[in-house]
Amino acid sequence: MINVKKLTKRFTPEKGLFDLNFEVKKGEVFGYIGPNGAGKSTTIRHLMGFMKPDDGGSTINDLDCWAKSAEVQKLIGYLPGEIVFLEGMNGLDFLNLMQKMRKQNVPQKRDELIERFQLDVKTPIRKMSKGMKQKVGIIAAFMHDPEVLILDEPTSGLDPLMQRVFIDLILEEKQRNKTILMSSHSFQEIERTCDSAGIIKDGRLVALEDIHSLRTVQRRVFEVKVKKESDVETIRQSQLQTEVMGKKTVHITVQGNDQEFVQLLSHCEVEHVDTRPQDLEDIFMHYYDRKEVVK
Amino acid sequence: MSWPLYSSMMKSHAKMLGGFIYGAVAYIVLIIWIYPSIADMKGFNDMINALPEGMRKLIGMENGINSLADYIAGEFYGMLFLIILMVYVILTSTRLMARLVDQGSMAYLLATPNSRLKIAATQAAVIITGLALIVAFTTLSGIAASEWLISGYELDVASFVTLNVLTFLIFLVIAGYCFFISSSFNDEKKALGISAGLTLFFYMLNMAGKLSEDTEWLLNFTIFKLYDPIKMINNETDALLTGTMLVMAALVLFGGSLVVFKKRNLPL
């Protein structure tokens, strides 16, 4: 459904997109992961037809995203990374305008979504919080029941409860065979919904795999606090990669060998286990070190 | 044209437009209302004639005040209306394109199945409508005021309308290049600065050109050369020719804006 081929856009020799290739099949949910400034939004801008590629290009449903952008838009629901609405309107005015500009006048899905996200649509947009704007944006993206959804960091600004509502929504749309591309800078978010993912760094795709294989290469660091100092010794003796942080605290790195980790801990008296939040480079050191495009 | 966008834009634009219309209408009514007292004032024309010629040209009173038409054309169309329309056209053209791109809300408009050409054409229609409304309201209240507010002084409606149509067309061209600038830039402030700077530059050339015969050549580089309200209202210009030229120029400029906007990269 979404096809990106040799997409290249040079802003400077180092910044931009370089020879990007990936495909999202119909009914698939694709996670697009990368740190800030890696080129996620730039790729999405090309898919939306806001930018003209220097080389290569992208198609949605075999329509070129630049040359046929207005036609492509019929298929797409779009959530921008940075949401800015027109001035001097309230939420409902805006949603109505969007529907009219799409020549659609079936409000059921819209009202259902408003209900679901518990949005007060009469609030003037300039008085809306980040989270409220995000909700309006999500509703605007889903309300015309598009075939393809392009979502740029969809959960930013939402509280955990609303994130849950959003994830359920994605899973439902997936059931209905919709094609979804969503970007994120957090693997955890992608993990829960996506079938496959691409990892982008400095404008280059460094990995393109299904979620299962990404999970096995994902590195997680656990901070384990034990009761006895002898347990620290037991842990250090193991095959796992460990680092002693304090008298009774050890950092254990787990990468696909969760079983061993649990067995090891079963020999110790554990007081506290916690995962440490990490950035993408740490989670996927494996890919970032190699620095080459996996096809 | 996308009608839903057009009506929504006109709605959010209404307040500002209303302000400009109110300002123009109030001023033209006021100026017509005080005309009898100026016309009756003895020695007023002597005073004007005592001024150096360049000065008289500048304030639009080359021959003093001989008729209501001259007076309206010189006092209102030559100065205040010019400024009102300049400000309106510059501000509005920047708001309609560059501002939406700068802030990012253009992304939502383009995320609907309407082509860039259609969106830009709709925005152009908004500024053209606004300009037409200001001139139309001013024309009507000018005619009404000279008809009912004062007595004993005649205003030739046909030539007054000609003046207004030509004024509209001149500012349509100015709106055209401002809109072109607004369509080409990502930065609202930059677009505003360049539009305002260029227009002001044209206006200064016009002033300098009228000051003396040595500087008259400067007039060839400014659009305001075509704008001479007193000659226009006295039918001393070839309205048809000037009008046609202006329409052509406006078409080229607005058309160019659409093409530029269609072809460029947008940082949305």
Side-chain angles (χ1 to χ4, degrees):
Chain A
M1 199 71 172
I2 303 176
N3 220 321
V4 175
K5 262 202 190 121
K6 292 188 177 160
L7 183 64
T8 303
K9 179 86 189 173
R10 300 176 202 86
F11 294 123
T12 65
E14 285 304 304
K15 259 192 92 64
L17 298 176
F18 306 94
D19 195 25
L20 224 54
N21 290 287
F22 66 86
E23 188 191 353
V24 187
K25 294 196 183 75
K26 187 167 170 55
E28 202 179 28
V29 182
F30 181 80
Y32 198 39
I33 320 172
N36 293 332
K40 299 189 296 287
S41 295
T42 309
T43 312
I44 288 175
R45 280 174 196 143
H46 280 93
L47 291 176
M48 293 300 295
F50 299 158
M51 282 190 169
K52 189 179 180 179
D54 291 343
D55 259 315
S58 44
T59 58
I60 292 178
N61 203 15
D62 293 326
L63 293 166
D64 187 272
C65 292
W66 170 257
K68 296 267 163 78
S69 73
E71 266 174 76
V72 171
Q73 301 299 346
K74 285 183 190 155
L75 303 167
I76 304 184
Y78 172 55
L79 177 72
E82 231 174 90
I83 301 183
V84 190
F85 303 114
L86 292 171
E87 296 161 304
M89 291 188 167
N90 68 32
L92 193 61
D93 290 342
F94 178 74
L95 292 174
N96 280 338
L97 173 64
M98 285 295 114
Q99 282 206 310
K100 280 189 213 147
M101 285 181 77
R102 288 189 170 276
K103 298 195 169 73
Q104 288 201 330
N105 34 21
V106 213
Q108 279 101 335
K109 177 120 187 175
R110 184 195 74 198
D111 295 341
E112 187 193 306
L113 286 165
I114 291 174
E115 179 71 19
R116 202 162 171 177
F117 282 97
Q118 294 163 21
L119 179 73
D120 176 12
V121 283
K122 298 278 184 193
T123 314
I125 278 162
R126 70 196 147 82
K127 292 205 174 140
M128 284 189 179
S129 66
K130 172 106 177 64
M132 281 183 89
K133 283 186 187 166
Q134 195 73 18
K135 288 178 186 177
V136 177
I138 291 172
I139 295 168
F142 284 81
M143 66 181 175
H144 53 288
D145 204 17
E147 276 304 302
V148 179
L149 285 151
I150 295 179
L151 313 167
D152 199 352
E153 305 201 359
T155 55
S156 71
L158 295 183
D159 61 39
L161 182 70
M162 284 302 147
Q163 287 191 15
R164 188 69 242 171
V165 174
F166 175 76
I167 287 169
D168 290 344
L169 182 64
I170 292 282
L171 293 175
E172 265 168 47
E173 296 295 318
K174 187 173 160 182
Q175 286 287 314
R176 301 174 57 217
N177 212 20
K178 300 295 167 68
T179 311
I180 304 174
L181 182 147
M182 57 190 270
S183 81
S184 177
H185 48 247
S186 125
F187 179 65
Q188 284 73 20
E189 195 178 294
I190 294 291
E191 201 185 2
R192 281 182 270 179
T193 46
C194 296
D195 305 310
S196 60
I199 300 177
I200 185 174
K201 191 206 177 197
D202 296 336
R204 291 177 176 85
L205 215 55
V206 290
L208 193 60
E209 308 226 8
D210 62 56
I211 285 291
H212 179 72
S213 39
L214 278 178
R215 235 178 237 146
T216 58
V217 297
Q218 177 192 186
R219 292 168 81 253
R220 273 159 303 157
V221 177
F222 288 94
E223 186 174 87
V224 179
K225 198 168 180 190
V226 290
K227 285 191 173 155
K228 291 181 297 184
E229 278 180 52
S230 62
D231 285 337
V232 175
E233 204 46 40
T234 321
I235 290 171
R236 281 189 54 187
Q237 297 295 318
S238 74
Q239 297 292 313
L240 290 156
Q241 191 189 333
T242 56
E243 195 183 347
V244 180
M245 297 308 287
K247 246 184 173 178
K248 290 175 188 167
T249 313
V250 191
H251 280 182
I252 305 176
T253 305
V254 178
Q255 189 170 12
N257 45 3
D258 299 46
Q259 180 66 26
E260 272 173 63
F261 173 64
V262 174
Q263 272 170 358
L264 173 68
L265 289 193
S266 70
H267 298 307
C268 311
E269 266 190 88
V270 180
E271 194 177 302
H272 184 75
V273 182
D274 200 3
T275 46
R276 296 188 56 78
Q278 296 170 90
D279 48 20
L280 283 167
E281 273 91 342
D282 289 328
I283 299 179
F284 298 112
M285 215 176 241
H286 172 63
Y287 290 120
Y288 281 121
D289 281 352
R290 279 194 297 166
K291 276 190 180 169
E292 63 185 42
V293 183
V294 183
K295 288 202 174 151
Chain B
M1 277 270 284
S2 161
W3 288 105
L5 178 63
Y6 178 77
S7 59
S8 153
M9 279 287 156
M10 284 310 290
K11 213 168 127 194
S12 63
H13 187 61
K15 222 182 250 173
M16 183 171 135
L17 181 61
F20 277 94
I21 291 178
Y22 175 76
V25 167
Y27 200 83
I28 195 172
V29 169
L30 181 78
I31 224 167
I32 291 173
W33 186 50
I34 59 171
Y35 176 66
S37 54
I38 288 186
D40 295 343
M41 202 195 296
K42 285 197 178 91
F44 184 81
N45 275 338
D46 296 338
M47 191 181 87
I48 295 291
N49 284 328
L51 292 170
E53 198 198 333
M55 200 70 165
R56 269 183 284 148
K57 267 192 191 169
L58 253 183
I59 59 171
M61 293 194 177
E62 224 170 322
N63 304 310
I65 295 176
N66 300 315
S67 68
L68 177 60
D70 277 8
Y71 169 76
I72 295 176
E75 278 298 298
F76 183 68
Y77 285 82
M79 287 292 287
L80 199 94
F81 200 42
L82 193 84
I83 291 164
I84 290 177
L85 291 180
M86 273 197 317
V87 173
Y88 174 76
V89 157
I90 292 167
L91 284 183
T92 308
S93 60
T94 311
R95 277 172 172 238
L96 286 172
M97 297 296 282
R99 184 184 181 89
L100 299 189
V101 172
D102 195 350
Q103 292 186 334
S105 42
M106 185 59 87
Y108 265 112
L109 305 185
L110 296 179
T112 60
N114 296 287
S115 66
R116 287 194 191 185
L117 285 182
K118 208 166 159 186
I119 299 286
T122 308
Q123 300 296 79
V126 172
I127 191 173
I128 295 172
T129 314
L131 187 60
L133 284 176
I134 298 180
V135 177
F137 271 98
T138 310
T139 312
L140 292 177
S141 38
I143 294 170
S146 55
E147 195 70 27
W148 295 315
L149 209 56
I150 55 176
S151 54
Y153 303 96
E154 281 291 313
L155 180 68
D156 179 9
V157 173
S159 37
F160 183 62
V161 170
T162 310
L163 166 66
N164 277 288
V165 170
L166 287 175
T167 306
F168 168 72
L169 291 178
I170 297 259
F171 280 91
L172 194 62
V173 173
I174 297 175
Y177 70 71
C178 290
F179 197 79
F180 183 85
I181 292 165
S182 180
S183 304
S184 332
F185 286 91
N186 297 331
D187 188 326
E188 184 191 351
K189 291 224 168 77
K190 215 185 233 168
L192 183 68
I194 295 175
S195 305
L198 190 62
T199 308
L200 222 57
F201 178 68
F202 282 153
Y203 188 60
M204 307 253 267
L205 284 183
N206 172 57
M207 297 225 292
K210 278 183 181 165
L211 267 179
S212 78
E213 285 189 1
D214 299 334
T215 55
E216 225 174 78
W217 57 275
L218 287 173
L219 288 177
N220 296 325
F221 302 100
T222 164
I223 173 157
F224 293 108
K225 182 193 184 186
L226 296 172
Y227 187 62
D228 194 334
I230 296 192
K231 278 193 181 148
M232 284 172 178
I233 206 166
N234 289 319
N235 297 317
E236 286 168 25
T237 51
D238 189 342
L240 205 60
L241 179 71
T242 318
T244 316
M245 271 163 53
L246 291 171
V247 169
M248 304 276 264
L251 280 177
V252 169
L253 286 166
F254 277 107
S257 311
L258 302 196
V259 174
V260 163
F261 186 66
K262 183 195 156 138
K263 292 201 167 163
R264 79 196 189 88
N265 284 310
L266 294 169
L268 294 170

